[in-house]
Amino acid sequence: MFNRTCLQAAAALASMSLLAGCGLFSDEDTDREQKIAVGTTSMPSALDPAAAWDGSWELYRNVFQTLLSFPTGTTAPQPDAAEGCRFTDTGNQIFECKLREGLTFSNGDKIDAAAVKHSIDRIRTIDQKGGPNGLLGSLDKIDTSGDRTITFRLNAPDATFPFILATPAMSLVPPSQYPADKLRDDGKLTGSGPYVLDSYNAGDRAELSKFDKYKGFAKVRNDAVTIRYFKESEAMTTALKEKEIDAIYRGLTAEEVVELQEKRPENDHLQLVESVGADIRYLVFNPKDRYAGKLSVRRAIAQIIDRGAVVNKVYQGTAEPLYSMVPKGIAGHTTEFFDRYGEPNVTKARDILREDGITEPVPLNFWYTTDRYGSATAPEFAELKRQLDASGLFKITIQGKPWEEFQAGYQKGEYPVFGRGWFPDFPDPDNFVAPFVGAKNALGTPYESPEITEQLLPQSRRESDRGAVAGQFEKAQKILGRDVRLLPVWQGKLYVAASEEIGGGERALDPQTVMQMWELYRKASW
């Protein structure tokens, strides 16, 4: 996906059903207006980076800078606002960055070491529920030296800290417009990334224009981007077919992907770029609920769920069953949930419940968000309900809410069982385990597991070679499989659908599965 020449891209994407031609339309047309319109069903939940640990990062990555980032083709953090960064000790506890010279925010304010410190300190001070402070558990304090040097002192060894600095959560903001102790609430955004946010209409669109004073790794190949937010994928796909938008990222249903793969006559002007995804879907169980809090109930559900049926019926091969919180393609991936529970088996599930004295069907409410992960989420939960009800052991009610309401509900502990998606913060197994455990986690549902949080994660973070930490994460997943506080369901594939006149789709996805809008451009005509 990340190779730079057309020939290499075609080879790497040989499994794709549709691929834009390489020979005839290979160059940018500098005479045409380079304005791109992109559709998505993933809407920001907040404009302030201190508030969001979710798909809002899609917008953040394009309008903010971070000290480090993930340019296309890399899986290790590279400099962005920083000129360079490194651990200065042998214990992975002191990390130093030096800023590029002459950086400014889009409002003209200077980016200096004090602004960097302010940007990250405020995340911890505000400590927004569901926000990114959970990523900063290893940070002790930040020191500055002069205008350009920032030193991060950690309370424990953490080889993943450079990866954390490369997440959009650590976006740099001007102190003059982002209070140190509260969220910015004027509906505006000020950054120093490749684009400036000219206007934002929640639930409708974001208008971005190229920031001429941007200094970073990105080569911006267009002049402006409109991001259109859709509640339903059908309307979004129709907009692409009718040339109201140029590309789609996030939210295509399986049916729509299959249709594009078939290359029907009405879709001749479209292309589909496919990439292996690291995004996952899983169920979360509330330990305070009368039923979901019972280990026997959770294990019985794990024993019944037929992931293959979900993937085949709902996603038509555009996803694959997942038996590990760490997906395929990431070090430490296992098949723990299959190894422990095997094929779906109602008899075994019944025995598990009866051993705990449960003989009547267990009533449970399953909750999902209606406007975050695409239109297939509702059919997915309908299929889960069908499977569990058919066992005779459960009586499932499914309910959906828009993301903001849904998020507020699970953070308050209102849902017995709820579905979440996870798009990785960074490509490391730590990021598929650490965010979900501990008293404060990304789910708002405490999951105390001292063996993971106090032993396995600290051990793995002492290791700079991230390919050598598989053992710790295999052990962690045995614990996750035993406790069933989280139940992995499927791992997705990533697709960018676009007009054939749009180039750069194969380079537009970074290792965090965040859309890098600057890679898109209009191809030249003959």
Side-chain angles (χ1 to χ4, degrees), residues 36-65:
I36 310 292
V38 178
T40 179
T41 59
S42 182
M43 306 176 193
S45 62
L47 294 185
D48 190 326
W53 192 354
D54 56 30
S56 303
W57 287 10
E58 199 85 69
L59 180 62
Y60 299 169
R61 173 58 77 208
N62 290 279
V63 295
F64 290 109
Q65 266 187 300

mmCIF file of all heavy atoms in Angstrom, residues 36-65:
data_model
loop_
_atom_site.group_PDB
_atom_site.id
_atom_site.type_symbol
_atom_site.label_atom_id
_atom_site.label_comp_id
_atom_site.label_asym_id
_atom_site.label_seq_id
_atom_site.Cartn_x
_atom_site.Cartn_y
_atom_site.Cartn_z
ATOM 1 N N ILE A 36 -10.443 18.871 -2.971
ATOM 2 C CA ILE A 36 -10.942 17.507 -2.852
ATOM 3 C C ILE A 36 -12.079 17.482 -1.833
ATOM 4 O O ILE A 36 -12.003 18.135 -0.787
ATOM 5 C CB ILE A 36 -9.834 16.542 -2.385
ATOM 6 C CG1 ILE A 36 -8.568 16.712 -3.239
ATOM 7 C CG2 ILE A 36 -10.316 15.103 -2.393
ATOM 8 C CD1 ILE A 36 -8.690 16.279 -4.658
ATOM 9 N N ALA A 37 -13.121 16.693 -2.116
ATOM 10 C CA ALA A 37 -14.215 16.495 -1.163
ATOM 11 C C ALA A 37 -14.227 15.030 -0.735
ATOM 12 O O ALA A 37 -14.291 14.133 -1.582
ATOM 13 C CB ALA A 37 -15.555 16.873 -1.786
ATOM 14 N N VAL A 38 -14.148 14.802 0.560
ATOM 15 C CA VAL A 38 -14.073 13.450 1.110
ATOM 16 C C VAL A 38 -15.278 13.207 2.017
ATOM 17 O O VAL A 38 -15.619 14.060 2.849
ATOM 18 C CB VAL A 38 -12.770 13.250 1.913
ATOM 19 C CG1 VAL A 38 -12.726 11.860 2.534
ATOM 20 C CG2 VAL A 38 -11.557 13.473 1.020
ATOM 21 N N GLY A 39 -15.906 12.042 1.873
ATOM 22 C CA GLY A 39 -17.033 11.681 2.718
ATOM 23 C C GLY A 39 -16.644 10.656 3.767
ATOM 24 O O GLY A 39 -15.775 9.808 3.537
ATOM 25 N N THR A 40 -17.263 10.730 4.922
ATOM 26 C CA THR A 40 -17.021 9.775 6.000
ATOM 27 C C THR A 40 -18.234 9.719 6.911
ATOM 28 O O THR A 40 -19.012 10.682 6.978
ATOM 29 C CB THR A 40 -15.769 10.171 6.824
ATOM 30 O OG1 THR A 40 -15.564 9.235 7.884
ATOM 31 C CG2 THR A 40 -15.925 11.555 7.433
ATOM 32 N N THR A 41 -18.402 8.606 7.606
ATOM 33 C CA THR A 41 -19.453 8.513 8.624
ATOM 34 C C THR A 41 -18.887 8.723 10.019
ATOM 35 O O THR A 41 -19.601 8.603 11.007
ATOM 36 C CB THR A 41 -20.157 7.138 8.573
ATOM 37 O OG1 THR A 41 -19.185 6.107 8.791
ATOM 38 C CG2 THR A 41 -20.853 6.917 7.244
ATOM 39 N N SER A 42 -17.584 9.008 10.105
ATOM 40 C CA SER A 42 -16.919 9.188 11.401
ATOM 41 C C SER A 42 -16.821 10.680 11.716
ATOM 42 O O SER A 42 -15.948 11.379 11.202
ATOM 43 C CB SER A 42 -15.522 8.562 11.360
ATOM 44 O OG SER A 42 -14.874 8.674 12.604
ATOM 45 N N MET A 43 -17.715 11.158 12.548
ATOM 46 C CA MET A 43 -17.775 12.584 12.872
ATOM 47 C C MET A 43 -16.988 12.878 14.156
ATOM 48 O O MET A 43 -16.986 12.080 15.079
ATOM 49 C CB MET A 43 -19.232 13.017 13.059
ATOM 50 C CG MET A 43 -20.119 12.679 11.882
ATOM 51 S SD MET A 43 -21.850 13.102 12.186
ATOM 52 C CE MET A 43 -22.653 12.233 10.813
ATOM 53 N N PRO A 44 -16.339 14.022 14.232
ATOM 54 C CA PRO A 44 -15.621 14.384 15.461
ATOM 55 C C PRO A 44 -16.584 14.505 16.646
ATOM 56 O O PRO A 44 -17.700 15.003 16.497
ATOM 57 C CB PRO A 44 -15.004 15.744 15.131
ATOM 58 C CG PRO A 44 -14.997 15.828 13.641
ATOM 59 C CD PRO A 44 -16.192 15.053 13.185
ATOM 60 N N SER A 45 -16.138 14.046 17.785
ATOM 61 C CA SER A 45 -16.938 14.227 18.996
ATOM 62 C C SER A 45 -16.568 15.532 19.698
ATOM 63 O O SER A 45 -17.321 16.020 20.539
ATOM 64 C CB SER A 45 -16.727 13.053 19.958
ATOM 65 O OG SER A 45 -15.373 12.979 20.385
ATOM 66 N N ALA A 46 -15.398 16.082 19.368
ATOM 67 C CA ALA A 46 -14.937 17.332 19.986
ATOM 68 C C ALA A 46 -13.867 17.950 19.098
ATOM 69 O O ALA A 46 -13.172 17.243 18.368
ATOM 70 C CB ALA A 46 -14.373 17.069 21.384
ATOM 71 N N LEU A 47 -13.724 19.272 19.173
ATOM 72 C CA LEU A 47 -12.691 19.953 18.400
ATOM 73 C C LEU A 47 -11.415 20.179 19.197
ATOM 74 O O LEU A 47 -10.365 20.468 18.634
ATOM 75 C CB LEU A 47 -13.215 21.300 17.885
ATOM 76 C CG LEU A 47 -14.349 21.246 16.868
ATOM 77 C CD1 LEU A 47 -14.674 22.653 16.370
ATOM 78 C CD2 LEU A 47 -14.010 20.350 15.697
ATOM 79 N N ASP A 48 -11.495 20.049 20.507
ATOM 80 C CA ASP A 48 -10.327 20.244 21.368
ATOM 81 C C ASP A 48 -9.628 18.896 21.550
ATOM 82 O O ASP A 48 -10.235 17.931 22.039
ATOM 83 C CB ASP A 48 -10.772 20.798 22.729
ATOM 84 C CG ASP A 48 -9.601 21.245 23.590
ATOM 85 O OD1 ASP A 48 -8.520 20.616 23.526
ATOM 86 O OD2 ASP A 48 -9.765 22.225 24.346
ATOM 87 N N PRO A 49 -8.343 18.781 21.190
ATOM 88 C CA PRO A 49 -7.638 17.502 21.317
ATOM 89 C C PRO A 49 -7.602 16.944 22.737
ATOM 90 O O PRO A 49 -7.448 15.737 22.918
ATOM 91 C CB PRO A 49 -6.220 17.821 20.828
ATOM 92 C CG PRO A 49 -6.364 19.028 19.990
ATOM 93 C CD PRO A 49 -7.492 19.820 20.590
ATOM 94 N N ALA A 50 -7.742 17.797 23.744
ATOM 95 C CA ALA A 50 -7.715 17.317 25.125
ATOM 96 C C ALA A 50 -8.992 16.569 25.489
ATOM 97 O O ALA A 50 -9.062 15.956 26.555
ATOM 98 C CB ALA A 50 -7.520 18.489 26.088
ATOM 99 N N ALA A 51 -9.995 16.602 24.607
ATOM 100 C CA ALA A 51 -11.293 16.023 24.940
ATOM 101 C C ALA A 51 -11.550 14.671 24.306
ATOM 102 O O ALA A 51 -12.457 13.964 24.740
ATOM 103 C CB ALA A 51 -12.416 16.982 24.523
ATOM 104 N N ALA A 52 -10.797 14.305 23.273
ATOM 105 C CA ALA A 52 -11.202 13.145 22.470
ATOM 106 C C ALA A 52 -10.112 12.092 22.344
ATOM 107 O O ALA A 52 -8.954 12.403 22.077
ATOM 108 C CB ALA A 52 -11.633 13.603 21.083
ATOM 109 N N TRP A 53 -10.547 10.849 22.501
ATOM 110 C CA TRP A 53 -9.709 9.673 22.272
ATOM 111 C C TRP A 53 -10.522 8.767 21.356
ATOM 112 O O TRP A 53 -10.948 7.695 21.723
ATOM 113 C CB TRP A 53 -9.395 8.999 23.607
ATOM 114 C CG TRP A 53 -8.327 7.942 23.557
ATOM 115 C CD1 TRP A 53 -7.693 7.437 22.471
ATOM 116 C CD2 TRP A 53 -7.764 7.265 24.688
ATOM 117 N NE1 TRP A 53 -6.769 6.485 22.831
ATOM 118 C CE2 TRP A 53 -6.794 6.358 24.193
ATOM 119 C CE3 TRP A 53 -7.984 7.319 26.061
ATOM 120 C CZ2 TRP A 53 -6.051 5.513 25.033
ATOM 121 C CZ3 TRP A 53 -7.247 6.483 26.888
ATOM 122 C CH2 TRP A 53 -6.287 5.603 26.381
ATOM 123 N N ASP A 54 -10.778 9.243 20.144
ATOM 124 C CA ASP A 54 -11.679 8.536 19.250
ATOM 125 C C ASP A 54 -11.442 8.978 17.810
ATOM 126 O O ASP A 54 -10.382 9.523 17.476
ATOM 127 C CB ASP A 54 -13.139 8.765 19.660
ATOM 128 C CG ASP A 54 -13.535 10.234 19.719
ATOM 129 O OD1 ASP A 54 -12.975 11.033 18.958
ATOM 130 O OD2 ASP A 54 -14.429 10.586 20.521
ATOM 131 N N GLY A 55 -12.437 8.783 16.950
ATOM 132 C CA GLY A 55 -12.302 9.110 15.542
ATOM 133 C C GLY A 55 -12.151 10.582 15.246
ATOM 134 O O GLY A 55 -11.943 10.963 14.077
ATOM 135 N N SER A 56 -12.238 11.430 16.253
ATOM 136 C CA SER A 56 -11.965 12.859 16.051
ATOM 137 C C SER A 56 -10.541 13.069 15.547
ATOM 138 O O SER A 56 -10.226 14.110 14.950
ATOM 139 C CB SER A 56 -12.153 13.630 17.361
ATOM 140 O OG SER A 56 -13.445 13.452 17.893
ATOM 141 N N TRP A 57 -9.686 12.088 15.790
ATOM 142 C CA TRP A 57 -8.299 12.191 15.359
ATOM 143 C C TRP A 57 -8.181 12.369 13.848
ATOM 144 O O TRP A 57 -7.183 12.884 13.346
ATOM 145 C CB TRP A 57 -7.527 10.944 15.791
ATOM 146 C CG TRP A 57 -7.262 10.890 17.256
ATOM 147 C CD1 TRP A 57 -7.784 11.694 18.225
ATOM 148 C CD2 TRP A 57 -6.403 9.977 17.930
ATOM 149 N NE1 TRP A 57 -7.303 11.328 19.464
ATOM 150 C CE2 TRP A 57 -6.456 10.271 19.306
ATOM 151 C CE3 TRP A 57 -5.606 8.915 17.512
ATOM 152 C CZ2 TRP A 57 -5.724 9.565 20.258
ATOM 153 C CZ3 TRP A 57 -4.880 8.205 18.449
ATOM 154 C CH2 TRP A 57 -4.937 8.525 19.805
ATOM 155 N N GLU A 58 -9.200 11.918 13.109
ATOM 156 C CA GLU A 58 -9.206 12.072 11.656
ATOM 157 C C GLU A 58 -9.017 13.540 11.280
ATOM 158 O O GLU A 58 -8.221 13.888 10.413
ATOM 159 C CB GLU A 58 -10.536 11.576 11.105
ATOM 160 C CG GLU A 58 -10.523 11.256 9.641
ATOM 161 C CD GLU A 58 -10.036 9.847 9.421
ATOM 162 O OE1 GLU A 58 -10.755 8.907 9.790
ATOM 163 O OE2 GLU A 58 -8.927 9.702 8.883
ATOM 164 N N LEU A 59 -9.766 14.392 11.959
ATOM 165 C CA LEU A 59 -9.658 15.828 11.710
ATOM 166 C C LEU A 59 -8.361 16.381 12.292
ATOM 167 O O LEU A 59 -7.654 17.162 11.653
ATOM 168 C CB LEU A 59 -10.861 16.555 12.297
ATOM 169 C CG LEU A 59 -10.900 18.079 12.117
ATOM 170 C CD1 LEU A 59 -10.940 18.451 10.638
ATOM 171 C CD2 LEU A 59 -12.100 18.675 12.859
ATOM 172 N N TYR A 60 -8.050 15.965 13.517
ATOM 173 C CA TYR A 60 -6.858 16.498 14.195
ATOM 174 C C TYR A 60 -5.587 16.289 13.379
ATOM 175 O O TYR A 60 -4.743 17.187 13.275
ATOM 176 C CB TYR A 60 -6.659 15.839 15.558
ATOM 177 C CG TYR A 60 -7.769 16.020 16.559
ATOM 178 C CD1 TYR A 60 -7.783 15.267 17.726
ATOM 179 C CD2 TYR A 60 -8.804 16.924 16.352
ATOM 180 C CE1 TYR A 60 -8.785 15.417 18.670
ATOM 181 C CE2 TYR A 60 -9.821 17.071 17.284
ATOM 182 C CZ TYR A 60 -9.803 16.308 18.442
ATOM 183 O OH TYR A 60 -10.805 16.450 19.371
ATOM 184 N N ARG A 61 -5.434 15.089 12.821
ATOM 185 C CA ARG A 61 -4.200 14.783 12.107
ATOM 186 C C ARG A 61 -3.952 15.765 10.967
ATOM 187 O O ARG A 61 -2.798 16.062 10.617
ATOM 188 C CB ARG A 61 -4.246 13.346 11.559
ATOM 189 C CG ARG A 61 -3.088 12.955 10.662
ATOM 190 C CD ARG A 61 -1.736 13.093 11.355
ATOM 191 N NE ARG A 61 -1.462 12.010 12.270
ATOM 192 C CZ ARG A 61 -0.684 12.119 13.345
ATOM 193 N NH1 ARG A 61 -0.134 13.290 13.644
ATOM 194 N NH2 ARG A 61 -0.469 11.086 14.126
ATOM 195 N N ASN A 62 -5.007 16.298 10.400
ATOM 196 C CA ASN A 62 -4.878 17.148 9.224
ATOM 197 C C ASN A 62 -4.753 18.634 9.545
ATOM 198 O O ASN A 62 -4.315 19.404 8.686
ATOM 199 C CB ASN A 62 -6.064 16.911 8.290
ATOM 200 C CG ASN A 62 -6.003 15.545 7.627
ATOM 201 O OD1 ASN A 62 -5.291 15.362 6.648
ATOM 202 N ND2 ASN A 62 -6.716 14.568 8.184
ATOM 203 N N VAL A 63 -5.118 19.037 10.756
ATOM 204 C CA VAL A 63 -5.068 20.464 11.080
ATOM 205 C C VAL A 63 -4.111 20.801 12.229
ATOM 206 O O VAL A 63 -3.775 21.970 12.421
ATOM 207 C CB VAL A 63 -6.479 21.016 11.404
ATOM 208 C CG1 VAL A 63 -7.370 20.960 10.178
ATOM 209 C CG2 VAL A 63 -7.118 20.262 12.550
ATOM 210 N N PHE A 64 -3.682 19.779 12.971
ATOM 211 C CA PHE A 64 -2.714 20.001 14.046
ATOM 212 C C PHE A 64 -1.387 19.343 13.688
ATOM 213 O O PHE A 64 -1.327 18.450 12.848
ATOM 214 C CB PHE A 64 -3.206 19.400 15.366
ATOM 215 C CG PHE A 64 -4.370 20.110 15.998
ATOM 216 C CD1 PHE A 64 -5.626 19.518 16.027
ATOM 217 C CD2 PHE A 64 -4.220 21.366 16.577
ATOM 218 C CE1 PHE A 64 -6.708 20.161 16.625
ATOM 219 C CE2 PHE A 64 -5.288 22.011 17.177
ATOM 220 C CZ PHE A 64 -6.532 21.402 17.203
ATOM 221 N N GLN A 65 -0.339 19.753 14.369
ATOM 222 C CA GLN A 65 0.941 19.070 14.327
ATOM 223 C C GLN A 65 1.178 18.338 15.631
ATOM 224 O O GLN A 65 0.644 18.701 16.679
ATOM 225 C CB GLN A 65 2.087 20.070 14.116
ATOM 226 C CG GLN A 65 2.501 20.279 12.678
ATOM 227 C CD GLN A 65 3.742 21.134 12.564
ATOM 228 O OE1 GLN A 65 3.753 22.289 12.997
ATOM 229 N NE2 GLN A 65 4.790 20.592 11.979
#
